[in-house]
């Protein structure tokens, strides 16, 4: 064996020998192309991505800003037109209406078709037949306030607890004419349903006597405006009184 072969480690092959004998890598592609994927600018300076002149860049920036401002103004106008009435929209109602109509008019309201702006409670009282044959009348009981008290600290109230009485009253009111008379079979059913809900709240016996009639009324109190709104409203409670309804044994079941 020659001296040259004796100096080579036995595990170096032809490919390894070619790599070890070649020049050290410089990180540049052949032909002076610079870093891979980023050819140099022909003028020798850093490569320009946009390729636009300063005047062109200014025009593009102004155009983008104009589009953004127009979009924000448009969304704000449509939002104020569709949102519930507030102090700002009341002050600028003419400008908002002129902008939105007729091209951008909306036939709906944001958040709810008719946002609640009043507190409505159903109240009831009963006539009780005493053992001696006399009739006594209870004081008004705020059933709506009792329902609210039951759910205020309840993390998972049922749908019945939340809206049974209020829904029954709403359905009843929508199925009566202007004089409080039922409109067809639906009006009679909603009246009977509402009566049974209230009768079961009282129970068949009260104050040592028997419940024979029940009377209902609604108590509606408008929600007072916030302090920053100059327009004030009358926040007094109004009542809608219904006639006395006789109850039967099956109404308490």
């Amino acid at each position: 064996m020659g001296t040259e072969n004796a100096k080579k480690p036995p595990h170096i092959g032809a490919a390894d020998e070619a790599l070890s004998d070649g020049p050290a890598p410089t990180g540049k592609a052949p032909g002076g192309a610079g870093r891979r994927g980023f050819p140099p600018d022909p003028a020798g300076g850093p490569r320009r991505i946009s390729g636009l002149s300063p005047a062109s860049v200014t025009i593009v920036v102004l155009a983008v800003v104009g589009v953004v401002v127009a979009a924000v103004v448009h969304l704000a106008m449509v939002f104020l037109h569709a949102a519930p009435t507030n102090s700002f929209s009341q002050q600028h109602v003419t400008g908002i209406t002129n902008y939105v109509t007729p091209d951008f008019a909306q036939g709906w309201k944001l958040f709810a078709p008719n946002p609640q702006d009043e507190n409505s409670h159903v109240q009831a009282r009963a006539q009780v037949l005493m053992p001696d044959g006399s009739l006594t009348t209870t004081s008004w009981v705020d059933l709506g306030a009792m329902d609210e008290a039951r759910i205020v600290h309840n993390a998972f109230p049922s749908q019945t607890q939340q809206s049974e009485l209020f829904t029954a009253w709403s359905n009843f009111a929508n199925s009566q004419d202007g004089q409080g008379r039922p409109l067809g079979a639906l009006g009679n059913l909603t009246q009977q349903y509402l009566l049974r809900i209230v009768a079961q709240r009282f129970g068949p016996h009260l104050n040592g006597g028997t419940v024979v009639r029940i009377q209902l009324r609604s108590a509606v109190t408008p929600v007072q405006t916030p302090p920053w709104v100059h327009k004030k409203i009358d926040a007094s409670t109004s009542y809608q009184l219904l006639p006395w309804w006789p109850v039967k044994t099956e109404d308490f079941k």
Side-chain angles (χ1 to χ4, degrees), residues 48-201:
R48 300 182 61 176
I49 299 176
S50 62
L52 299 176
S53 65
S56 299
V57 172
T58 302
I59 294 174
V60 171
V61 170
L62 291 177
V64 172
V65 171
V67 171
V68 171
V69 171
V72 170
V73 171
H74 173 76
L75 292 176
M77 288 292 191
V78 174
F79 174 86
L80 291 172
H81 178 75
T85 303
N86 55 77
S87 58
F88 183 84
S89 62
Q90 287 179 338
Q91 295 174 3
H92 302 85
V93 61
T94 303
I96 294 173
T97 302
N98 292 339
Y99 175 84
V100 173
T101 56
D103 296 330
F104 308 111
Q106 302 291 327
W108 48 270
K109 294 295 183 181
L110 193 65
F111 305 125
N114 296 296
Q116 293 293 326
D117 56 0
E118 59 189 20
N119 293 319
S120 300
H121 283 187
V122 177
Q123 301 175 350
R125 62 180 179 176
Q127 278 190 345
V128 182
L129 178 64
M130 305 305 292
D132 60 0
S134 62
L135 283 174
T136 62
T137 302
T138 67
S139 58
W140 288 102
V141 179
D142 195 332
L143 302 178
M146 294 172 62
D147 286 348
E148 291 178 357
R150 278 194 293 266
I151 67 175
V152 67
H153 295 299
N154 187 350
F156 303 100
S158 67
Q159 187 66 26
T160 301
Q161 292 175 312
Q162 296 181 74
S163 60
E164 178 189 45
L165 181 61
F166 181 77
T167 302
W169 177 271
S170 299
N171 292 336
F172 164 78
N174 293 331
S175 61
Q176 309 294 309
D177 61 14
Q179 285 71 40
R181 294 172 298 197
L183 295 174
L186 179 60
N188 291 321
L189 286 174
T190 57
Q191 176 179 323
Q192 189 64 29
Y193 178 63
L194 179 60
L195 173 62
R196 291 194 172 188
I197 290 177
V198 178
Q200 292 172 17
R201 299 284 184 94

